[in-house]
């Protein structure tokens, strides 16, 4: 879809939406949001961009093939789940830093778990969508 | 003991890795596995003979009463020695026979697996582990029969064999479970005490039938015999090992094993006599109509198995002893005949008995083995066959009022087997050597030593039968707990039995010289093929396949819309049936004033978009309308304070619209394909389904709701998990494992879509 308005808009929308998705991800623990929604939004951002500029262009701005996000995300999920076990607590016990960090807020294993979910969602959604786009 | 049993499995398991590095070593090393186990088992001979059964027990699944209990008594020792002894010879033989074969290592894997399964089968004391090993033999024989995996007829034979024996195995499982249920234990040794209970139980007859089906399928008894001739497609070592010496005798083993447990009743005895007697005659006559050496052997094997079943059916002391001796006799001479058939095939390239003669000039030791085996099969004095034949005749001759009929059947069978044995063991070697086989060579010792060894055992045991006294005594005892002492001897004095033996030999010899194998004979029996059991089974299989095709074609017709219709219709009927009892809905119209104007607006919006989606002519219109419905849903979530849900629904909706756009943009212009009738049908179905969902949703309100779980989550979200967003805390903490598994599912789905879309079934059209 080579519409000038659409192209210009999506060029600005991509970083904004990505930023927004990270914001949604981080606020999840206290306010509506979370890894799943955040991941979906990030995926939408890339798909919108690929609508405007085509798949090749989109693939070239993200060097990493979205397929690889799936194992990475899964690994983060599993690591965050078993990290309490490594320090002698039951698996999936929430571990937290005592002090909140700037911008991010409280950091704990649950946050990493959410980040894992976020990456898996982006990875699988983009994999599915990109393969569909490619076959058309 | 457990190591001896499973070492075959272990060596089969490490084979793929081992052969990658040292492929040449496989045929050199693997024959020593059965040889080692043979020696190990033979070392127990003295113990078993003097002290009776030996036991080993290994816990496996004690909670179900399933353990790896091994019992080594006379019967299992006889089988164990045959399995490993003939196994070792076959292993050595194969290393030369299939020398150039590229899958030789794989072959050894299958053989080892089979050997282990067979050993486990005969040593198992636990009925369930017996069944597991029983099925393992079927599975490994499937691989061995289908070894020439690119050959269509091999594949077919392997499938037939697996189908028949696998089916029998399942039936047997039912029988074994039933025995365990009635007897209260799966342990054979313990069950021996409750044979009275089993035999007087009302389900005794069913147990016997189930066990019989299992044994008859495995041991190729009529009408399940047809898989065995087909199984001869396997390389000759396999036929030697599985289809004459060991696997087909598993059914015999089972019957012999269960004789003290279930045997002795009329139904047991007469079923076995009739089935065994019929099989032995039927297969013996069949063998006369074949000209392929292996086919002759196949049918004579079925006939010999029939004799064994027949003997077990007679069930007297003589008969059981005869069965015990004949198991060994048959294994020795039949394995020899198979092995020399393999040699003949290997050296001359043909197995047509009509074109073979005079080979003794080239391969003397092979001919010697052939002569001995044929004579043993015929039952000539000073060979083991003579002794087993004497005992057999003794048994049938003294069997009450039916003695004459049964003895006649046995004598006729033995006469025909005499001829068949001579055709295979003597005819190819005598006479003048035809021109086309002049180029045949003397085979390697690896090929001719095993048959010569087996044949000379027939001679040694036949001439000095007291060597077998100990082993046969304990075999006898395991079939008949109060067995009398036995002394095997060649000479029994002048009596009727000797007369019958002489008649057998004389008539057999006359028949051998008058009846020549010929291809014409086989044409004559072709007309009966229509009613042969194999034909019946094929017809059943074909019609079943036809039915399955029609059934699948009707439901899985490839049209997505039909799938949806099937699913919706099924659900509607199912849930509708449940609502048939009456619907429990109460609408409180007083609450209608609580509806806010904004909610009302959203409903209007939804209804309008639905109508728009129905009437619009363009695809884009439909997609946008559907998108609006989704967004309106989001608004509802928001009104009822579920912002997380709303956000997610919102994103999903956007994705969906994008996806539709993406795909539909590429399609040609929208046209109306469906007729008016179809539209009405679909409309009706949607209405039905919609109302059903509405009714269900309203019914949910009627059910009392329990809020303890949600209260717990709400109260503890911050205390336990330091989160204020309960939904998120549930997702990442309380029910984190669920989420984790869901992400895995998501990844699997993505991989599925990715691989399906990138799947190229037609490699030629690759772009």
């Amino acid at each position: 879809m080579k519409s000038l308005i659409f192209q210009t808009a999506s060029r600005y929308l991509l970083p904004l939406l990505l930023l927004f998705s990270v914001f949604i991800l981080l606020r999840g623990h206290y306010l509506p949001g979370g890894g799943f929604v955040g991941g979906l939004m990030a995926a939408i951002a890339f798909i919108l961009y690929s609508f405007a500029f085509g798949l090749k262009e989109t693939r070239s701005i993200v060097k990493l093939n979205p397929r690889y996000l799936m194992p990475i995300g899964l690994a983060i999920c599993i690591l965050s789940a078993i990290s309490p076990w490594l320090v002698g607590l039951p698996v999936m016990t929430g571990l937290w830093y005592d002090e909140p960090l700037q911008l991010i807020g409280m950091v704990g294993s649950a946050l990493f778990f959410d980040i894992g979910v976020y990456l898996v969602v982006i990875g699988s959604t983009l994999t599915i969508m990109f393969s569909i786009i490619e076959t058309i | 003991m457990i190591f001896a049993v499973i070492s075959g499995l272990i060596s089969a398991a490490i084979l793929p890795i081992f052969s990658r590095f040292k492929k040449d070593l496989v045929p050199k090393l693997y024959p020593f596995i059965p040889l080692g186990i043979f020696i190990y088992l033979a070392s127990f001979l003295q113990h078993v003979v003097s002290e009776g059964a030996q036991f080993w027990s290994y816990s496996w699944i004690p909670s179900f009463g399933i353990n790896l209990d091994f019992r080594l008594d006379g019967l299992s020792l006889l089988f164990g020695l045959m399995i490993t002894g003939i196994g070792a010879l076959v292993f050595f033989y194969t290393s030369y026979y299939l020398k150039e074969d590229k899958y030789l290592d794989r072959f050894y894997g299958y053989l080892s697996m089979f050997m282990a399964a067979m050993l486990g089968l005969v040593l198992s004391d636990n009925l369930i582990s017996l069944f597991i090993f029983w099925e393992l033999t079927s599975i490994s024989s499937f691989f061995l029969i289908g070894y020439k995996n690119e050959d269509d007829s091999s594949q077919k034979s392997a499938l037939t064999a697996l189908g028949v024996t696998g089916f029998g195995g399942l039936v047997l499982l039912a029988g074994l479970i039933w025995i365990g249920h009635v007897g209260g234990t799966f342990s054979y040794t313990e069950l021996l005490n409750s044979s009275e209970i089993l035999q007087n139980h009302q389900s005794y007859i069913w147990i016997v039938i189930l066990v019989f089906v299992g044994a008859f399928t495995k041991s190729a008894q009529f009408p399940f015999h047809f898989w065995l001739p087909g199984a001869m497609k396997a390389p000759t070592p396999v036929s030697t090992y599985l289809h004459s010496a060991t696997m087909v005798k598993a059914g015999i083993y089972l019957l012999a094993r269960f004789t003290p447990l279930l045997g002795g009743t009329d139904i047991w005895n007469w079923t076995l006599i009739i089935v065994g007697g019929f099989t032995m005659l039927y297969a013996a006559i069949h063998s006369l109509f074949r000209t392929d050496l292996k086919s002759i052997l196949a049918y004579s094997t079925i006939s010999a198995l029939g004799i064994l079943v027949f003997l077990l059916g007679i069930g007297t002391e003589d008969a059981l002893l005869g069965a015990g001796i004949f198991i060994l006799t048959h294994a020795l001479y039949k394995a020899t005949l198979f092995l020399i058939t393999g040699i003949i095939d290997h050296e001359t390239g043909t197995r047509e008995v009509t074109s073979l003669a005079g080979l003794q000039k080239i391969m003397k030791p092979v001919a010697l083995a052939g002569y001995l085996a044929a004579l043993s099969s015929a039952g000539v004095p000073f060979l083991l066959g003579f002794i087993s034949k004497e005992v057999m005749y003794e048994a049938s001759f003294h069997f009450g009022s039916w003695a004459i009929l049964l003895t006649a059947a046995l004598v006729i069978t033995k006469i025909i087997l005499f001829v068949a044995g001579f055709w295979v063991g003597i005819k190819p070697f005598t006479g003048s050597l035809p021109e086309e086989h002049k180029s045949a060579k003397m085979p390697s010792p690896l090929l001719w030593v095993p048959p010569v060894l087996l044949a000379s055992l027939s001679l040694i045991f036949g001439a000095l039968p007291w060597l077998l006294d100990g082993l046969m005594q304990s075999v006898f005892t395991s079939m008949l707990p109060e067995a009398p002492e036995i002394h095997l001897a060649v000479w029994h004095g002048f009596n009727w039995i000797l007369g019958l033996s002489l008649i057998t030999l004389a008539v057999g010899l006359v028949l051998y010289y008058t009846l020549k194998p010929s291809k014409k004979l086989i044409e004559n029996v072709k007309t009966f093929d229509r009613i042969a059991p194999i034909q019946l089974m094929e017809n059943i299989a074909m019609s079943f396949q036809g039915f399955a095709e029609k059934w699948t074609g009707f439901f899985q017709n490839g049209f997505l819309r039909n799938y949806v219709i099937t699913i919706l219709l099924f659900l509607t009927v199912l849930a509708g049936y449940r609502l048939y009892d009456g619907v429990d809905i109460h609408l409180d119209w007083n609450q209608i004033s609580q509806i806010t104007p904004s909610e009302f607006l959203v409903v209007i919006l939804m209804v309008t978009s639905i109508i728009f989606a129905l009437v619009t002519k363009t695809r884009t219109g439909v997609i946008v309308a559907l998108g609006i419905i989704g967004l309106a849903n989001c608004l509802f979530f928001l009104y009822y304070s579920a912002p997380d849900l709303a956000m997610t629904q919102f994103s999903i909706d956007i994705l969906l619209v994008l996806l539709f756009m993406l795909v539909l943009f590429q399609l040609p212009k929208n046209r109306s394909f469906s007729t008016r009738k179809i539209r009405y049908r679909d409309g009706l179905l949607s209405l039905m389904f919609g109302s059903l969902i509405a009714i269900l949703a309203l019914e949910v309100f009627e059910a009392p709701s329990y809020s303890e779980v949600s209260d717990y989550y709400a109260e503890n979200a911050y205390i336990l998990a330091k989160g204020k967003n309960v939904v998120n805390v549930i997702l990442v903490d309380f029910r984190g494992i669920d989420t984790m598994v869901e992400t895995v599912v998501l990844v699997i789905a993505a991989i599925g879509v990715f691989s399906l879309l990138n799947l190229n079934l037609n490699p030629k059209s690759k772009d």
Side-chain angles (χ1 to χ4, degrees), chain B residues 269-278 280-281 306-307 309-316 319 392-414 500:
Chain B
N269 287 352
W270 280 103
T271 314
L272 291 184
I273 289 178
I274 292 166
V275 172
F278 186 76
M280 72 185 185
L281 269 175
I307 294 178
V309 171
F310 177 78
L311 287 175
L312 290 169
I314 291 179
T316 56
M392 242 182 249
Y393 284 171
E394 189 84 42
S396 67
F397 197 67
H398 296 295
F399 189 68
S401 46
W402 293 87
I404 298 186
L405 190 66
L406 298 185
T407 313
L410 197 57
V411 171
I412 294 172
T413 309
K414 284 306 266 186
L500 286 174

Side-chain angles (χ1 to χ4, degrees), chain B residues 423-442:
Chain B
W423 278 0
V424 180
I426 292 184
K427 185 172 180 300
F429 299 106
T430 52
S432 59
L433 187 67
E435 203 54 45
E436 73 240 51
H437 296 319
K438 285 252 161 69
S439 57
K441 279 193 269 315
M442 174 72 190

Side-chain angles (χ1 to χ4, degrees), chain A residues 24 28-34 36-37 40 44 47 51 67 70 92 96 113-114 120 124 129 131-133 135-136, chain B residues 643-644 647-648 651-652 655 658-659 662 666 721-725 728 732 736-737 743-744 746-747 750 754 757:
Chain A
I24 292 277
H29 216 58
Y30 297 100
L31 295 160
F36 193 80
V37 191
L40 281 178
I44 290 174
I47 290 164
F51 247 1
R67 254 179 289 167
M70 294 191 283
M92 292 219 69
W96 294 94
F113 189 79
D114 233 5
V120 170
S124 42
M129 291 302 244
S131 349
I132 291 175
I133 296 174
T135 42
I136 289 171
Chain B
D644 279 287
M647 269 167 82
T648 315
S651 321
I652 294 278
L655 259 179
L658 281 176
L659 185 68
L662 209 65
Q666 313 291 328
K722 307 194 184 190
K724 288 175 188 156
N725 178 359
N728 189 269
V732 300
I737 297 280
T743 54
V744 175
L746 202 60
V747 171
F754 179 77
L757 288 177

Side-chain angles (χ1 to χ4, degrees), chain B residues 511-563:
Chain B
L511 265 184
Y512 172 64
Y513 279 111
T514 50
L515 197 69
K516 291 288 163 214
S518 106
K519 278 219 182 285
K520 277 197 194 124
L521 284 170
I522 201 166
E523 296 301 322
N524 294 334
V525 286
K526 281 255 164 77
T527 44
F528 294 106
D529 278 359
R530 265 182 310 126
I531 51 166
I534 186 163
Q535 197 58 41
L536 292 180
M537 196 204 77
E538 270 178 13
N539 287 346
I540 292 173
M542 290 308 283
S543 47
F544 190 75
Q545 191 180 348
F547 169 74
E549 259 165 26
K550 286 216 176 76
W551 176 271
T552 317
F554 182 73
F555 285 106
Q556 316 274 326
N557 46 20
F559 292 110
L560 196 58
R561 52 182 182 275
N562 289 353
Y563 291 172

Side-chain angles (χ1 to χ4, degrees), chain A:
Chain A
M1 235 189 291
K2 303 282 179 209
S3 139
L4 185 64
I5 300 172
F6 187 44
Q7 286 192 342
T8 318
S10 41
R11 186 166 294 153
Y12 292 103
L13 269 176
L14 176 68
L16 274 178
L17 273 175
L18 280 182
L19 200 66
F20 186 64
S21 78
V22 174
F23 165 71
I24 292 277
L25 160 74
L26 290 180
R27 79 202 281 263
H29 216 58
Y30 297 100
L31 295 160
F36 193 80
V37 191
L40 281 178
M41 285 187 172
I44 290 174
F46 284 114
I47 290 164
L48 266 181
Y49 193 82
S50 70
F51 247 1
F53 293 99
L55 195 61
K56 236 183 201 166
E57 182 85 13
T58 319
R59 280 209 194 271
S60 71
I61 55 164
V62 224
K63 295 284 180 291
L64 187 69
N65 191 323
R67 254 179 289 167
Y68 298 122
L69 287 176
M70 294 191 283
I72 296 172
L74 266 187
I76 294 177
C77 274
I78 291 166
L79 274 181
S80 82
I82 62 166
S83 59
W85 175 66
L86 294 177
V87 296
L89 291 167
V91 169
M92 292 219 69
T93 314
L95 293 178
W96 294 94
Y97 273 120
D98 294 335
E99 294 298 314
L101 293 183
Q102 283 247 285
L103 278 174
I104 297 173
M106 294 292 284
V107 171
S109 60
L111 178 66
F112 286 100
F113 189 79
D114 233 5
I115 292 174
V117 174
Y118 176 80
L119 292 179
V120 170
V121 171
I122 298 180
S124 42
T125 316
L126 285 185
T127 307
I128 293 173
M129 291 302 244
F130 282 179
S131 349
I132 291 175
I133 296 174
E134 265 168 357
T135 42
I136 289 171

